[in-house]
Amino acid sequence: MTERTMRSTVRPARRRWTHRMGAGAVAAAAVLALTGATGLAGAGEAAAEVSAQQTSCEPFAAIDQGRYWINNNLWGQDSGTGSQCIQDLYTSGDTIGWRTNWQWSGGQSSVKSFSSAVLGWHWGWRNSGTGLPVQLSAGRAVPSSWDFSVQPSNPGTMNVAYDLWLHDRPDPTWEHNPTDEIMIWLYTSGGAGPLGQRVGTFTVEGAQWDLYEGNIGWNVYSFVRRGNTQSVDLDLSAFTRFLVQRGELDPRKYLTSVQAGTEVFTGQGALETSAYRTTIG
């Protein structure tokens, strides 16, 4: 199979928001179902037992690491067979280390998971002190550094990427889907390709990126780096600013979440983050 054929076949399945709910939102839904409550009071207590674990293989488990939390987001697990685990390595100020390992088979063209470090919103708010949301028109920098390794050298069909979420309001809850999603692919293996159509190649933050655009109920912009890397030091606001300048993103919108992790389709491997840090300037 040629690379072009593989890339047109292996694309993320439609992302239904119910599959991407974090552990806090899942726990909240369970509390609401059991108690009939109308608010989120008590949901934090339901999620606390999971977040207290430093290693977990439970779907949608959460591990708190300072301002961040690690989300074992197995939103597409029903499309195949397998499992995935997350592990907290360390927390030092705004810098964290964490690891995820997986084994997935079946459903070659479907994403099984996006285990990631979450800063800010994920169908609700889990931790405080994130610096988010921030309105794009404020011109705030979003510096981020990420050093990671992928094991083995052929871990299957997957990518390592940032996932940025945007809303047209500063206070989204679990009820509010995003208006826009921006993925920044740093590493890809096994012919994985993004949603949508390629619109061109552009230079952002000193590297060349193929930009893909699609829509799954919200706009999805995917910047796919030309050439894999396992170490970056970026201003993530450069990508939102680029889309604003192209007239594709309204500067009145709010960046509500920055996530960094791996989308896995099939295969067996691990992503180990030796140092990750994202702040709001």
Side-chain angles (χ1 to χ4, degrees):
M1 181 178 291
T2 66
E3 180 179 357
R4 180 175 180 180
T5 303
M6 175 65 79
R7 290 182 67 85
S8 65
T9 302
V10 185
R11 289 180 179 169
R14 182 177 177 85
R15 299 180 183 182
R16 292 176 289 173
W17 73 271
T18 51
H19 281 179
R20 296 191 66 123
M21 291 172 65
V26 171
V31 170
L32 292 176
L34 290 172
T35 66
T38 57
L40 292 180
E45 295 177 4
E49 293 183 6
V50 178
S51 64
Q53 301 175 17
Q54 296 305 300
T55 300
S56 181
C57 301
E58 291 296 318
F60 306 106
I63 298 176
D64 287 311
Q65 290 191 260
R67 300 180 302 119
Y68 316 91
W69 57 284
I70 308 304
N71 181 10
N72 201 26
N73 190 357
L74 311 189
W75 66 273
Q77 61 182 332
D78 293 343
S79 65
T81 302
S83 62
Q84 190 155 349
C85 303
I86 54 174
Q87 181 182 11
D88 167 15
L89 298 180
Y90 72 89
T91 302
S92 177
D94 290 332
T95 303
I96 61 172
W98 65 282
R99 174 184 172 88
T100 181
N101 59 280
W102 61 85
Q103 183 172 348
W104 293 106
S105 61
Q108 297 290 323
S109 62
S110 298
V111 175
K112 308 302 184 297
S113 62
F114 186 65
S115 294
S116 61
V118 179
L119 180 70
W121 176 90
H122 186 83
W123 279 270
W125 300 83
R126 182 178 178 87
N127 294 338
S128 60
T130 64
L132 296 169
V134 61
Q135 195 165 30
L136 300 185
S137 60
R140 303 273 294 278
V142 185
S144 182
S145 59
W146 190 4
D147 296 313
F148 62 87
S149 61
V150 177
Q151 306 144 2
S153 58
N154 181 19
T157 303
M158 49 78 73
N159 67 60
V160 179
Y162 287 97
D163 205 3
L164 280 55
W165 298 93
L166 296 100
H167 287 81
D168 55 9
R169 57 188 299 156
D171 56 349
T173 68
W174 64 271
E175 298 177 292
H176 302 113
N177 281 349
T179 58
D180 303 88
E181 177 181 9
I182 302 171
M183 296 202 74
I184 304 169
W185 290 35
L186 307 176
Y187 183 102
T188 182
S189 172
L195 179 83
Q197 301 298 316
R198 180 178 173 275
V199 298
T201 302
F202 306 95
T203 300
V204 184
E205 286 291 272
Q208 284 196 313
W209 311 81
D210 290 328
L211 175 60
Y212 292 77
E213 298 181 359
N215 188 287
I216 52 172
W218 56 79
N219 299 316
V220 180
Y221 306 95
S222 299
F223 291 86
V224 180
R225 195 179 192 276
R226 287 204 158 189
N228 285 342
T229 185
Q230 298 184 58
S231 179
V232 292
D233 191 351
L234 302 171
D235 179 0
L236 299 179
S237 70
F239 295 88
T240 57
R241 187 165 56 250
F242 175 84
L243 293 173
V244 168
Q245 291 171 348
R246 280 175 57 87
E248 300 189 73
L249 201 57
D250 189 334
R252 293 173 295 180
K253 291 187 176 180
Y254 295 84
L255 175 65
T256 53
S257 180
V258 176
Q259 304 184 16
T262 177
E263 280 187 317
V264 182
F265 294 76
T266 59
Q268 181 174 355
L271 167 68
E272 183 164 316
T273 292
S274 56
Y276 173 74
R277 182 176 187 267
T278 294
T279 58
I280 308 301

